[in-house]
Each structure stands twice: as structure tokens, then as C-alpha cells.
Amino acid sequence: MTATSSLSKLVITILVVFHLGMQLSNLIELTSHVSGGGYNRVEAKDCFDCPDLPQRAIYTTDFSIANDTKPPPSYLEWSTKKPKIPSDWSYATPLLAKVPTKHSSPDPTKKVIVHYHMQHNAGTSFFQVARKFTAATRACWQTHKHCFVSYNEEVEANNIRNNYHQHGIQYVSYEAMLPPRFPLPFVSESARDGLFFTTILRDPMKRLISWARSDRYKPKQIGAPPENFWNDVTGNSGIYVRENLNVRWLSGVLETITEDHVNIAKCRLQLFDLIIVDTLYDTAVNDVICPLNNWEGNRYCNATKARAEYKSKKPNPLNGTDSHFVGAWIERLRPSFELYDYARILSYAQLNALGVKDIPQISEVPSYIETLSKYTNIEFFVSKKSRVNFDNIDRFHPPKEFCDNMKLVWGSNTDEVPYIRGIGALDSL
């Protein structure tokens, strides 16, 4: 090993250790601060079915992002492009849609499942469950008028309900980055009527590795050392940027992620009827999704058969990778780990509130720390107040007033077709 190489590794080590130390200090405190206000904790109730679960944090400041007389905050900025509306814009049958005979007739007593599919978060597996029982969109297309027809939640909701009543589409999967102002999930009870909102969040590191194993990944240099993978993925690729995709898609950010973007993502999570984290996937599907519309039978809706853990046959891109690169990428995923831990608490609480019994215990170790320990062999002590559980949920909640303002924005949009980036989007003007 050359002196230059040794010095380079020493510098990387010092920088990573220093930055990790700073982040660990922040993690232990986990107290949010936004310019102009402070985060006040409230006493956590010792229960998982508190009706005010998403509303437990109090934020003190005096601003309203819904006030049209003030310039909109930067985190609400989106492209000024407009979608090109075709003259014959109308419903078209989704690809891969299959309607079994006994489920072909719409039933007003059943729910339409509206799923938000963030790539490499097991959304395709979830779709495979739905399509065994009903007509489903693997990814709803704006061009086929499946979704994204309006910023107004009532108009968007009516389109989903009409597609169910007229065409039997009982499972709608959104698979695109959400514009910051786009309402998903819907806010008002009238818009949510007859709909059931779900999303899946996977451990951020596992999600990144899943992406790395996908056929989309092509190394720039065949036979290059493993660390070249980590160098390659630092580049951007539009909405399919490699790092922190979940935070980006939930908040609509292409550039630098700020605390406001993380808060938008958390505020959206509060509106889902069921957040499914990877470690609770089987429980959520068997005990909530299948009974929701009386889906029974086969290996998908059979409580006696546990789903075997999927193991990819493709090589692990981490094999032989220098721990310095791994540690640096774990640090890059910091916003996603924070969002994932919040989702884990909400997911467990939602399952409990829905009456699910024997819910598997989730790890209380912060996922950021757990991942660092796994890949870098660094040992950490996690204090009781830093653990991921309902007792500490106030440390993970976004500011209440921030969420209240975002919900006001999402619930008060005019009827305008949104410009989106992603699968099935209309062309832009």
C-alpha cells in the first residue's frame, strides 16, 4: 500500500468518525428545531391506539404557508411546466389487470386500496397480492386517467371511485414522485370515503442494495473493484436519484434535502391508514389487507403460511467493499433512517389500533445505529430515551403546526391537472 493511499484512507476515516460523532449526538437528543419556533414535547401515553397518535407534538410559531399573500416557502416549489391534456383523455384498461369472476362486480361495502409505491420497497410484491383477487394498477398512469387527474383531492378521489364503480379497479398504485402540494393521502373525510391508503417502507440500506442488484445498474467499468459501485451511484438520475428516494418522493425534492422536506414526508405518513414496514409485512397483509375486502385463499391470504424471506441470487454489491465507503453511504441515508424509524413506530401503533394480535416485536435500536454496527463493526450504546418506541414518539413527530399547514395546503387545492415526473405521465407543455 502506498503512502498516498494510506493517507487518503486516514483522512476518510477521520472525516467519517467526526461526522458520525456529530450525528450520534444529534440522534441522542433528537430534538427538532426550525427557524422561528421550537419543538415542545408532550407526555406520551402508554398505549398504541391513542386516537390523537399523529397529533402528539406541539409547535410554537406564527406562520401560515396557506396564506396566498405571502411568498410560498421554498419546500413547496415545483416545476412550472404544465401537462399537455389530450383531447381524447379518458380511462384505459391498466396493463396486467386481471379481474377474477367473483370479484368482478364492484361492492360499495368494500374499500378501494390506494397504495403509494416507492421503488424497491416491496410494492411489486404487494401488487401481486392484490391482482390475485381484483383488478389492479401496478402503476397508475396519468395518460390513462387512472390517477393524477387533479390537484383537488375531491376530484382526484371521485376519479378513483368512478374507476372502481365503472371498471372494477379496486387497487390503485401511485408510482411517481409527489409534487409537494399534491394531496396523497387525501385529507378530508369526504375525499377519503371508501378508500384505504397504504404504503411500504423498507430499511433504507436494504432498499439501496435492492436497487443495486436490479438490472438497471450497469457498472461503468467491467471488472472494476467493488467500491466503484459506490462511486457510480453518487450521480443523479432525475426522480430516480439513488439516495434517500423515500424522503424525496414523499416530499417532492430533487436537490438538497432539508429538515422541512423530512417533515413533509412525516406529515404524509400520518395520513396513511396503514404504513407497512418491511419487518411487519406478513402481519399487515394477512391480518389487515386480506380481511379488509374478504380476500381469502392461496399463498397470499393464508395466515397459516408464512411468506418465505426472499433471497436474491444476484451478488451482494457490498462484498469486498471498503467499510469507509459503506459508512459514508450510511451517513448519506441519514434522512431516510429517521423517516424509517418514525414509520416503524406508526406501523406498529396502527396494527395495534386495528386490533391485530401477536404483532412481532420491532427492534428499538435506531436503524441508523443498527446499520452502522452491522457494516462498520462500530459498537454503540443506545440510551433508553433514544430508543425507537411509542414512549419516545414525541422525539420523532414532525412539528404539529407544520403538519396542520401542510394539510391545509393539500386540502385546499384548485382543480388543476398536476405536472408529474414518472411512469405514465402526460407530456408537458
Side-chain angles (χ1 to χ4, degrees):
M1 182 180 291
T2 65
T4 302
S5 177
S6 298
L7 179 59
S8 176
K9 283 198 171 186
L10 177 60
V11 170
I12 292 175
T13 302
I14 293 172
L15 290 174
V16 170
V17 171
F18 172 76
H19 204 47
L20 293 183
M22 294 290 289
Q23 293 299 329
L24 179 59
S25 175
N26 292 337
L27 178 67
I28 292 175
E29 290 304 322
L30 281 172
T31 301
S32 299
H33 293 285
V34 179
S35 176
Y39 189 102
N40 296 336
R41 302 190 189 98
V42 293
E43 190 65 24
K45 298 178 183 177
D46 186 19
C47 69
F48 279 104
D49 56 355
C50 305
D52 60 342
L53 177 62
Q55 308 291 341
R56 301 290 317 295
I58 297 174
Y59 187 74
T60 56
T61 188
D62 183 21
F63 74 102
S64 174
I65 58 178
N67 189 336
D68 293 336
T69 63
K70 297 180 181 179
S74 60
Y75 53 82
L76 288 182
E77 291 178 357
W78 187 247
S79 175
T80 57
K81 293 182 179 179
K82 301 291 183 182
K84 184 179 180 181
I85 311 299
S87 58
D88 59 346
W89 193 33
S90 60
Y91 171 87
T93 302
L95 297 174
L96 304 177
K98 180 181 180 182
V99 185
T101 303
K102 69 175 182 177
H103 292 283
S104 58
S105 299
D107 184 341
T109 66
K110 295 182 178 181
K111 295 280 189 178
V112 177
I113 297 173
V114 182
H115 181 70
Y116 184 48
H117 179 186
M118 295 174 282
Q119 290 193 332
H120 296 285
N121 280 274
T124 300
S125 297
F126 196 55
F127 162 74
Q128 294 295 344
V129 175
R131 73 184 296 260
K132 289 293 181 180
F133 299 96
T134 191
T137 64
R138 180 173 181 172
C140 62
W141 284 37
Q142 187 183 40
T143 54
H144 293 352
K145 214 167 186 181
H146 301 152
C147 59
F148 290 116
V149 300
S150 179
Y151 267 113
N152 182 276
E153 64 175 2
E154 299 290 348
V155 176
E156 185 76 6
N158 284 334
N159 182 71
I160 293 174
R161 285 191 285 263
N162 288 339
N163 286 343
Y164 174 51
H165 295 147
Q166 297 177 19
H167 309 288
I169 303 300
Q170 195 182 21
Y171 174 92
V172 181
S173 179
Y174 286 72
E175 189 176 346
M177 177 181 282
L178 298 175
R181 289 182 176 272
F182 186 79
L184 192 76
F186 306 145
V187 179
S188 70
E189 291 302 317
S190 58
R192 298 173 71 94
D193 183 44
L195 310 179
F196 189 85
F197 293 90
T198 65
T199 192
I200 303 174
L201 274 82
R202 196 175 187 179
D203 174 278
M205 197 65 174
K206 291 180 180 177
R207 197 214 73 84
L208 184 65
I209 292 173
S210 173
W211 172 85
R213 283 178 168 142
S214 73
D215 293 334
R216 290 188 180 89
Y217 170 63
K218 299 293 188 296
K220 293 180 180 178
Q221 181 182 347
I222 303 299
E227 55 262 33
N228 275 36
F229 159 73
W230 299 104
N231 292 335
D232 288 349
V233 300
T234 56
N236 291 334
S237 182
I239 69 168
Y240 302 105
V241 65
R242 283 76 163 172
E243 44 87 19
N244 292 305
L245 180 136
N246 291 356
V247 174
R248 293 180 181 280
W249 276 33
L250 284 164
S251 64
V253 56
L254 288 170
E255 304 299 333
T256 303
I257 294 174
T258 68
E259 186 177 14
D260 289 325
H261 295 120
V262 175
N263 284 333
I264 291 176
K266 287 183 175 182
C267 294
R268 282 198 194 273
L269 287 186
Q270 293 180 356
L271 291 169
F272 283 96
D273 294 297
L274 180 62
I275 299 164
I276 305 173
V277 293
D278 47 4
T279 55
L280 299 176
Y281 179 90
D282 286 342
T283 301
V285 170
N286 283 320
D287 294 350
V288 178
I289 299 301
C290 293
L292 182 69
N293 290 321
N294 299 320
W295 294 348
E296 297 178 343
N298 71 50
R299 64 191 180 94
Y300 294 102
C301 287
N302 190 331
T304 63
K305 293 184 179 180
R307 184 175 64 109
E309 182 180 357
Y310 173 76
K311 294 184 179 181
S312 175
K313 296 180 180 179
K314 297 179 181 180
N316 188 337
L318 292 182
N319 290 341
T321 303
D322 192 305
S323 62
H324 297 85
F325 288 98
V326 179
W329 261 96
I330 292 172
E331 179 58 33
R332 259 186 98 151
L333 296 176
R334 189 73 171 82
S336 291
F337 284 117
E338 181 179 343
L339 185 69
Y340 177 65
D341 286 345
Y342 186 51
R344 287 198 290 160
I345 299 174
L346 292 181
S347 180
Y348 194 100
Q350 288 171 341
L351 289 172
N352 190 288
L354 289 166
V356 177
K357 307 297 183 183
D358 302 321
I359 305 172
Q361 290 297 314
I362 58 175
S363 171
E364 292 190 348
V365 178
S367 56
Y368 169 71
I369 297 300
E370 199 165 45
T371 307
L372 274 179
S373 299
K374 177 179 179 180
Y375 289 106
T376 64
N377 295 319
I378 300 175
E379 295 183 0
F380 296 92
F381 169 76
V382 181
S383 65
K384 184 177 180 180
K385 68 178 182 178
S386 299
R387 293 185 174 272
V388 181
N389 56 39
F390 190 77
D391 289 339
N392 294 328
I393 194 170
D394 292 327
R395 295 178 176 273
F396 294 90
H397 270 317
K400 182 181 183 300
E401 187 169 337
F402 184 95
C403 286
D404 288 344
N405 275 282
M406 285 307 305
K407 291 169 186 175
L408 183 59
V409 168
W410 292 328
S412 59
N413 287 315
T414 58
D415 182 11
E416 178 185 359
V417 180
Y419 165 72
I420 63 165
R421 303 176 173 97
I423 297 172
L426 289 168
D427 293 334
S428 61
L429 294 175

